[in-house]
Amino acid sequence: MSAVVHQQRDVRRARYAVAAVFAVHGAVTGSFATRVPWIQDHAGVSAGQLGLALAFPALGASLAMPLAGSVSHRFGARTALRGLIALWTLALTLPSIAPNLLTLCLALFVYGATAGMSDVAMNALGVEVENRLDKSIMSGLHGMWSAGALIGSAAGTLAAHLGADARLHHALAAAVLTVVGVTACTWVLDLQPAEDEEPPPRFALPPRSALLIGAIGFCAVFAEGASLDWSAVYLRDQLETSAGLAAACTTGFTLTMAVARIAGDHVVDRYGAVRTVRASGVVALLGGLLIVFAEHPAVAMGGFALMGLGIAVVVPLCFAAAGRSGSNPSLAIAGVATITYTSGLIAPSAIGLLAQATSLMVSFVLVTVLSCGIAGFAGVLRAGDRTKVTRPEAAVPEPRP
């Protein structure tokens, strides 16, 4: 009995440790995003060249993500995550020291590669902890990522306001986040491969199940990227609002997503992944319709808030379903992560190109249509419902009185 209680305590501690790693991962992203203008000036690149450079994180992540499974198999999950999160936090220092376009592209490639590999490793451990606790935690973990990103953004905004050199800012942030991330990894689950378990291939196509799950993630991340980058522009250009009100719309969307993710686990536990995502798709669809047909800024802001509420839990549940969809969770998670990273890369530019050819309202018609895909294909996330999981050994039994 004492062994069971000890095991439960270790799993609960692992949950908080993984949550801290998610927050650290998000804080790196927030720290970088706020200093992009400084990095552009330091590297001496034009807006077009910066756009080219900013494609390299997604390229690096897409190529490196499939390697995460091999790293975890070779070193064990805890050691692999400790090393990968340290590489990711330290990679924050690279873009700000790049003196030209070529070095900036190389720095951002490494930045993206380490981001993607650590992303896969921490999501795989999050799914395993969720299995052992037998309750949903993935939405909350991604909520912690959003909270970390907000903290990193706030610190970066303060540094930019004070006129701090981004090289110094990122060096200090990297040092602090490395210590926090590596320390948190001390308490994550130390999963080791079985002696007769063959290592996963270094590069392999994601399984078919991951492609179907990734398609839903694609729709959600496309809507997220479009809303984050274009909501303020939409209110300013389509509804002729002030710059302050337009910016408040983007902030409201971000906060809605963060709060919904943190609270989403309770909804998932009660209604299951499929029904939750189906309802989320309907909410996102209603938000999209309000955005498209809005004639007043308040209506559009309400639409973006509903959009954030609707898509908030979709990606976490995609990762949870991928982690239970086959015999190689890391490969499936890497496949879903690659698809969602790609969606986040192309969404802002696709919205802009379509808006240039037609109008920004038509662009958000596309976002609204993709929200229908979230609701319509939610059934492929059935693997994310723990009641469907056929791995009872993953759960930790409750102690008997």
Side-chain angles (χ1 to χ4, degrees), residues 38-39 42-43 90-100 103-104 107 165-168 170-171:
W38 190 98
I39 292 171
H42 180 257
L90 294 174
L92 173 62
T93 63
L94 298 179
S96 59
I97 63 174
N100 53 50
T103 54
L104 180 60
D165 189 308
R167 291 169 294 188
L168 176 61
H170 283 169

Side-chain angles (χ1 to χ4, degrees), residues 32 36-37 39-41 43 45-56 101 104-105 108:
F32 166 75
V36 169
I39 292 171
Q40 178 185 7
D41 292 341
V45 297
S46 65
Q49 290 173 326
L50 178 64
L52 172 65
L54 289 176
F56 276 78
L101 177 62
L104 180 60
C105 290
L108 290 173

Side-chain angles (χ1 to χ4, degrees), residues 32-90:
F32 166 75
T34 53
R35 306 311 305 270
V36 169
W38 190 98
I39 292 171
Q40 178 185 7
D41 292 341
H42 180 257
V45 297
S46 65
Q49 290 173 326
L50 178 64
L52 172 65
L54 289 176
F56 276 78
L59 177 62
S62 299
L63 293 177
M65 279 175 175
L67 296 173
S70 297
V71 174
S72 294
H73 183 276
R74 179 173 181 179
F75 298 103
R78 179 186 294 168
T79 301
L81 182 59
R82 182 183 289 122
L84 291 173
I85 200 67
L87 289 175
W88 163 233
T89 53
L90 294 174

